[in-house]
Amino acid sequence: MATAQNTLVVDLGPLRQSVEDRVQSGSYSSADEVIRASLLALEREEAARNRWLIQLAEEAQADPRPSVPAAQVFRELRAKYGIPTSEPAS
């Protein structure tokens, strides 16, 4: 049984030379292999970042200190960076 191939045309722009260099050096046997390896590396990178973000969120949720109201945080940030407030003066 023949397998159907998924073909996708992609304009790599200046990255094309990088793909060709990797194939020519013998590190990869084809441009397809370079692209597959690149996508797998991207998936690993995104998974690691997601694990890190989940860890940060879990740590924040477990923090026993009281939450700071958003309005207070934005007031302090505006003051720190000299951004005028759009809130009416109280």
Side-chain angles (χ1 to χ4, degrees), residues 6-24 27-44:
N6 293 321
T7 301
L8 178 66
V9 177
V10 178
D11 180 1
L12 296 174
L15 295 175
R16 180 185 177 126
Q17 187 61 51
S18 178
V19 171
E20 291 173 355
D21 291 347
R22 283 170 168 74
V23 173
Q24 191 165 21
S27 297
Y28 296 89
S29 61
S30 67
D32 290 348
E33 192 177 302
V34 175
I35 300 302
R36 277 193 295 276
S38 300
L39 288 171
L40 289 172
L42 177 61
E43 287 178 355
R44 286 191 305 270

Side-chain angles (χ1 to χ4, degrees), residues 27-76:
S27 297
Y28 296 89
S29 61
S30 67
D32 290 348
E33 192 177 302
V34 175
I35 300 302
R36 277 193 295 276
S38 300
L39 288 171
L40 289 172
L42 177 61
E43 287 178 355
R44 286 191 305 270
E45 179 182 316
E46 288 175 343
R49 183 176 36 248
N50 288 340
R51 285 190 302 273
W52 174 70
L53 289 171
I54 289 168
Q55 179 184 352
L56 286 179
E58 289 171 349
E59 289 171 3
Q61 292 292 322
D63 190 338
R65 295 176 293 177
S67 296
V68 178
Q72 178 184 342
V73 171
F74 284 110
R75 262 193 318 275
E76 291 174 7

